[in-house]
Amino acid sequence: MTGLPMRLIAALWDVDADALRGERLHAALAALGATRLQVNVCDDDARGGLAMNHFEQPIEAVVAVTGGDSADVLAALGGVAGTVQAWRTALRAPLDPDLPVGERVDALANVAFLRRPDDLAYDEWRRRWLDDHTPVAIDTQATFGYYQNIVAEPLTDDPTGVVAIVEELFPMEAISDVHAFYGSGGDRDELNRRITAMLASVSRIGAEKNIDVVPTSRYDYPLS
């Protein structure tokens, strides 16, 4: 993870989504030394997107904070959410388009929480994920943004063992159109080929089970 930018990622429950996007929290985080805030919320715009749950309760929002002391940032987030679970992560961005700030990104933003199978060593799991799976995921889906967050350490209790958090940006049509999700252009044979390749790759890292997938709307805020 040497040389990769670090940031705090938190999953939130019992959350005030308006407060997440509000000036009061942003000013508080900026005063703590945070320089950037990303907010992903499960809202009506993302409703209907693919969702999978492994946590006891479905995640309501995900935030990523760059800069600031982790304990202070967690305390600030605790003011807008009843439950916060967080990790310190290293960011890779194989697909990183220019995105608007301060407004909703025109995309379905799927956030996935990955866990390593017990029978697969971490180094091999990570190699399969980063080296083998990444190009398959990009080539077989209609993603135009792809972000990989490698967990360096949990910052709160994590009984479920999250080792990575991935965000993929899809066109909004992907919520209801499987061809738009996979980028298969309406070709049924091509759709089946892409699904088969994706599922085979996913199974090699154990992400066909014990995974959370959270369909969200994304907002980005510079804080300094």
Side-chain angles (χ1 to χ4, degrees):
M1 287 183 271
T2 303
L4 294 177
M6 305 298 294
R7 61 180 184 168
L8 178 152
I9 293 187
L12 307 179
W13 292 264
D14 299 321
V15 65
D16 183 340
D18 290 335
L20 279 179
R21 299 191 296 266
E23 180 58 35
R24 182 174 181 178
L25 174 64
H26 299 182
L29 290 173
L32 296 173
T35 59
R36 185 176 180 274
L37 170 67
Q38 177 184 327
V39 175
N40 291 69
V41 292
C42 303
D43 60 9
D44 288 343
D45 288 321
R47 200 172 308 281
L50 172 68
M52 300 175 68
N53 302 310
H54 184 69
F55 285 111
E56 184 174 345
Q57 298 293 329
I59 295 168
E60 297 177 18
V62 181
V63 299
V65 181
T66 303
D69 177 78
S70 295
D72 293 338
V73 170
L74 287 175
L77 294 177
V80 297
T83 302
V84 179
Q85 193 157 330
W87 304 262
R88 188 170 69 90
T89 69
L91 173 65
R92 294 177 79 244
L95 293 177
D96 187 20
D98 289 333
L99 299 174
V101 297
E103 62 185 68
R104 185 185 184 278
V105 175
D106 185 22
L108 166 66
N110 275 355
V111 184
F113 292 74
L114 308 183
R115 298 165 179 90
R116 176 181 58 85
D118 292 337
D119 60 354
L120 188 59
Y122 176 78
D123 287 347
E124 175 61 14
W125 179 88
R126 178 170 158 170
R127 186 198 67 76
R128 290 186 188 185
W129 172 47
L130 295 178
D131 297 343
D132 297 344
H133 178 69
T134 301
V136 174
I138 291 173
D139 291 345
T140 61
Q141 301 178 110
T143 47
F144 66 91
Y146 195 81
Y147 305 88
Q148 298 170 313
N149 299 276
I150 307 164
V151 170
E153 63 175 334
L155 298 173
T156 55
D157 182 43
D158 178 14
T160 68
V162 172
V163 292
I165 302 162
V166 178
E167 181 187 9
E168 298 173 297
L169 300 179
F170 292 88
M172 284 298 296
E173 294 79 8
I175 290 179
S176 58
D177 184 345
V178 67
H179 287 289
F181 188 95
Y182 283 99
S184 48
D187 186 322
R188 174 60 62 175
D189 290 338
E190 177 62 14
L191 174 64
N192 290 338
R193 185 194 70 79
R194 290 181 179 225
I195 291 175
T196 299
M198 182 63 175
L199 291 179
S201 184
V202 162
S203 67
R204 295 188 69 242
I205 59 172
E208 79 281 14
K209 57 185 178 180
N210 300 334
I211 184 174
D212 294 86
V213 178
V214 190
T216 72
S217 294
R218 172 172 168 168
Y219 299 80
D220 291 278
Y221 304 97
L223 300 179
S224 63

